[in-house]
């Protein structure tokens, strides 16, 4: 008897409990929570969908799950796509700002709320659903599919490069579908083909062995002033980074990349509304536009600042210690180690040799060639699925950071994103969500992509 064919809706319905149980696993990598059961769960999901799975754990860090689905004999076994996803999630705090239990998937008004749902568990699940749909269809799976599902993305993927280097043959493929993606604040479906890199630093200043009565401020310096002066020397009030050499060696984007960015208008009003911004975009004082800043220019951001007395009321004290967290989002051509050298040199030259600088995390940026046939196939299949109601746009560089550079370096493949995210998905924040409609459409996009990829 012939097995009756399931629609995408059927698959979503039939596998809902399995998906929700995946969301219930609090796989917070920075706090080492539920990693082993999540690895087992991901492996089981791949196998129960009809693929082979292997756990790679010989290079340290949280295991990497490899998955493989072979093309149907009617398909094109010469073509292989790699899906990159991660099973780890961000910590759920601050807990009191959640309107639902962070690890209990909850549907309200067509949205599914849970920590890790948009970043990145739903995207992994919808790729599996696309495979299940195609495998039971007349034409079968159109090409080979590999998965790389890692568990340290939210921790900066410290071991992924080593795994990609050692297992380059295992992950060998013709192109990679990136973990995130989806609709922006204008409901355009955005395909990202690059990411910024990162150099993340700790800065420390110390001015005495103990905190001191602030009357001695007449003669004694304090760590808070030392550090804020040092920080202020790094960037002017118009957001220009003042560190000599910081903007050197930046790779010039291709004509197509520039054109794609020009066509993409960032809505300042919408973004201001979402975040309740109190000031206009800082690009108003820069020589480049908001669009160009997001895609092609590096940033320097004080992410945290700590010193002295910060409780209620007064305490007159000279703080002996101050510390800051600083991140630089980098673009192709910039090297985190070089940025560290430049910052060290700058601090020394400006009289802050006592300010300690520690590079915590370094990752290079990556940009695919947006004219590559793989990228075009992702775009054309998105036009097919979303085109009737949403504009599909190519974005040469996502302003965020991810380990894309390692895929380019070890596998030599282009990368493009596809996912079910939405502008108010609140990744990393309380009340993280996806819209179920996007989840279904995302599944259809992967189906359409795999069909086209077979021929591309
Ligand atoms: Zn994330």
């Amino acid at each position: 008897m012939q097995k009756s064919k399931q629609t995408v809706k059927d698959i979503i319905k039939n596998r809902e409990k399995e998906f929700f149980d995946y969301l219930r696993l609090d796989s917070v990598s920075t706090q080492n929570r539920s990693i082993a059961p999540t690895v087992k769960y991901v492996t089981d999901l791949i196998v129960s969908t009809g693929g082979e799975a292997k756990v790679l754990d010989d290079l340290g860090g949280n295991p990497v799950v490899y998955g493989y689905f072979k093309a149907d004999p009617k398909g094109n076994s010469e073509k292989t796509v790699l899906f990159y996803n991660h099973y780890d999630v961000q910590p759920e705090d601050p807990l009191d700002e959640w309107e639902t239990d962070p690890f209990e998937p909850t549907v309200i008004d067509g949205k599914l709320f849970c920590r890790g749902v948009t970043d990145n568990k739903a995207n992994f699940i919808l790729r599996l659903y696309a495979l299940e749909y195609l495998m039971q269809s007349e034409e079968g799976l159109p090409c080979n599919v590999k998965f790389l599902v890692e568990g340290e993305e939210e921790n900066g993927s410290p071991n992924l490069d080593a795994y990609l280097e050692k297992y380059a043959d295992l992950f060998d493929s013709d192109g990679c579908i990136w973990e995130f993606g989806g609709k922006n604040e204008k409901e355009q479906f955005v395909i990202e083909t690059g990411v910024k890199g990162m150099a993340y630093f700790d800065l420390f200043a110390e001015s005495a062995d103990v905190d001191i009565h602030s009357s001695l401020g007449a003669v004694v310096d304090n760590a808070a002033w030392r550090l804020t002066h040092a920080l202020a020397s790094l960037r002017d009030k118009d957001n220009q980074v003042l560190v000599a050499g910081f903007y050197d060696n930046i790779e010039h984007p291709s004509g197509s990349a520039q054109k794609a960015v020009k066509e993409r208008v960032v809505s300042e009003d919408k973004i201001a509304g979402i975040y309740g911004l109190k000031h206009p975009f800082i690009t108003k004082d820069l020589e480049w536009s908001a669009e160009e800043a997001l895609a092609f220019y590096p940033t320097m951001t004080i992410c945290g600042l700590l010193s002295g007395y910060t409780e209620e009321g007064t305490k007159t004290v000279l703080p002996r210690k101050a510390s800051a967290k600083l991140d630089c989002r980098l673009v192709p051509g910039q090297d985190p180690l070089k940025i560290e050298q430049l910052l060290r040199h700058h601090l020394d030259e400006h009289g802050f040799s006592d300010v300690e600088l520690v590079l915590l995390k370094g990752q290079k940026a990556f940009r695919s060639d947006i004219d590559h046939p793989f990228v075009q196939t992702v775009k054309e299949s998105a036009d097919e699925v979303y085109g009737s109601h949403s504009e599909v746009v190519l974005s040469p560089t996502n302003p965020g950071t991810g380990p894309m550079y390692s895929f380019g370096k070890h596998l030599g493949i282009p990368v493009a994103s596809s996912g079910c995210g939405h502008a108010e998905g609140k990744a990393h924040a309380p009340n993280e969500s996806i819209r179920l409609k996007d989840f279904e459409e995302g599944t259809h996009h992967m189906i359409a992509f795999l069909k086209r990829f077979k021929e591309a």
Side-chain angles (χ1 to χ4, degrees):
M1 202 176 82
Q2 217 197 346
K3 201 176 124 198
S4 67
K5 303 270 188 290
Q6 294 191 90
T7 63
V8 165
K9 275 191 179 16
D10 294 337
I11 295 171
I12 289 174
K13 194 158 157 277
N14 294 340
R15 296 187 73 172
E16 184 183 276
K17 185 183 177 302
E18 195 183 35
F19 175 26
F20 283 14
D21 282 346
Y22 181 39
L23 291 169
R24 287 183 181 108
L25 291 159
D26 59 337
S27 46
V28 180
S29 51
T30 37
Q31 298 166 351
N32 219 358
R33 287 156 58 189
S34 302
I35 299 302
T38 308
V39 168
K40 168 136 191 359
Y41 203 85
V42 167
T43 308
D44 290 348
L45 279 169
I46 290 169
V47 172
S48 69
T49 307
E52 300 162 23
K54 199 172 353 191
V55 176
L56 311 174
D57 60 0
D58 56 328
L59 299 174
N62 293 340
V64 169
V65 181
Y66 164 81
Y68 182 63
F69 293 76
K70 201 174 167 21
D72 189 270
K74 294 189 286 295
N76 181 355
S77 62
E78 301 287 295
K79 302 283 263 183
T80 305
V81 64
L82 176 64
F83 288 141
Y84 165 62
N85 289 92
H86 60 90
Y87 59 78
D88 63 324
V89 304
Q90 284 277 321
E92 65 274 39
D93 65 294
L95 249 185
D96 56 349
E97 289 177 29
W98 279 86
E99 281 157 32
T100 60
D101 180 341
F103 286 102
E104 182 50 44
T106 308
V107 178
I108 302 167
D109 292 337
K111 279 188 194 165
L112 172 59
F113 292 86
C114 198
R115 165 55 83 230
V117 66
T118 190
D119 184 14
N120 168 251
K121 287 176 169 173
N123 287 341
F124 171 60
I125 293 290
L126 71 81
R127 300 192 197 331
L128 291 175
Y129 290 179
L131 297 179
E132 174 164 358
Y133 177 84
L134 286 164
M135 287 189 298
Q136 50 121 49
S137 73
E138 218 50 73
E139 70 224 80
L141 189 60
C143 58
N144 302 315
V145 174
K146 292 179 179 177
F147 275 96
L148 188 165
V149 192
E150 69 145 323
E152 298 185 313
E153 198 274 343
E154 301 298 3
N155 216 359
S157 306
N159 298 292
L160 185 64
D161 189 76
Y163 280 100
L164 277 167
E165 185 173 17
K166 176 166 179 184
Y167 293 103
D169 288 341
L170 189 65
F171 291 113
D172 180 43
S173 46
D174 302 303
C176 176
I177 297 287
W178 203 244
E179 46 119 352
F180 58 59
K183 299 205 184 122
N184 65 11
E185 74 285 355
K186 291 196 291 188
E187 294 293 332
Q188 293 169 317
F189 183 75
V190 184
I191 298 166
E192 311 275 4
T193 62
V195 289
K196 282 185 178 172
M198 165 84 74
Y200 200 112
F201 301 96
D202 263 336
L203 284 99
F204 301 103
E206 204 178 4
S207 52
D209 287 342
V210 287
D211 284 354
I212 305 169
H213 192 286
S214 76
S215 61
L216 266 183
V219 289
V220 174
D221 200 358
N222 82 58
W225 275 123
R226 289 289 303 155
L227 188 64
T228 50
H229 281 306
L231 290 169
S233 76
L234 298 174
R235 205 191 90 161
D236 69 17
K237 66 175 181 33
D238 295 334
N239 192 35
Q240 280 275 10
V241 175
L242 302 172
V243 176
F246 185 80
Y247 296 103
D248 291 357
N249 307 318
I250 288 178
E251 274 172 33
H252 208 58
S254 71
S256 310
Q258 288 184 53
K259 188 167 166 282
V261 162
K262 272 210 186 84
E263 282 168 5
R264 217 190 135 187
V265 181
V266 174
S267 166
E268 182 166 351
D269 287 350
K270 283 219 170 110
I271 292 175
I274 290 171
Y275 298 104
L277 298 186
K278 312 287 184 267
H279 303 283
F281 277 1
I282 54 176
T283 37
K284 76 173 177 26
D285 296 316
L286 290 171
E287 286 161 26
W288 46 85
S289 66
E291 292 80 6
E292 289 169 318
L294 286 162
F296 300 139
Y297 286 87
T299 66
M300 181 180 282
T301 303
I302 298 171
C303 297
L305 205 50
L306 190 67
S307 187
Y309 181 71
T310 55
E311 302 301 314
E312 222 176 296
T314 60
K315 183 189 179 195
T316 47
V317 68
L318 297 181
R320 70 181 189 94
K321 269 174 155 184
S323 63
K325 302 272 182 191
L326 187 80
D327 90 23
C328 300
R329 300 270 175 182
L330 308 180
V331 296
Q334 289 182 304
D335 179 342
L337 296 174
K338 178 78 187 162
I339 296 296
E340 181 191 18
Q341 281 174 13
L342 295 173
L343 273 165
R344 183 67 269 165
H345 183 74
H346 173 98
L347 291 169
D348 294 347
E349 288 289 293
H350 288 75
F352 298 108
S353 52
D354 59 311
V355 173
E356 202 187 334
L357 178 77
V358 182
L359 179 68
L360 295 179
K361 194 194 298 190
Q363 208 161 61
K364 286 188 182 175
F366 181 73
R367 201 150 58 215
S368 308
D369 169 11
I370 64 168
D371 296 318
H372 193 286
F374 176 80
V375 174
Q376 292 304 318
T377 304
V378 177
K379 164 90 164 69
E380 286 158 16
S381 52
D383 281 332
E384 190 183 317
V385 173
Y386 297 96
S388 64
H389 53 282
S390 283
E391 197 188 345
V392 175
V393 292
L394 277 177
S395 157
T397 305
N398 179 280
T401 300
M404 226 183 242
Y405 179 80
S406 298
F407 288 76
K409 182 168 114 194
H410 300 302
L411 308 181
I413 52 174
V415 179
S417 75
S418 170
C420 64
H422 66 120
E424 292 172 59
K426 301 201 168 129
H428 295 205
N431 307 309
E432 178 175 352
S433 73
I434 58 165
R435 298 181 300 204
L436 293 171
K437 180 94 178 56
D438 295 325
F439 182 65
E440 192 179 329
E441 280 181 351
T443 309
H444 282 289
H445 180 217
M446 286 297 92
I447 293 167
F449 162 74
L450 290 164
K451 286 182 178 174
R452 273 181 190 259
F453 179 62
K454 173 188 165 185
E455 319 289 346

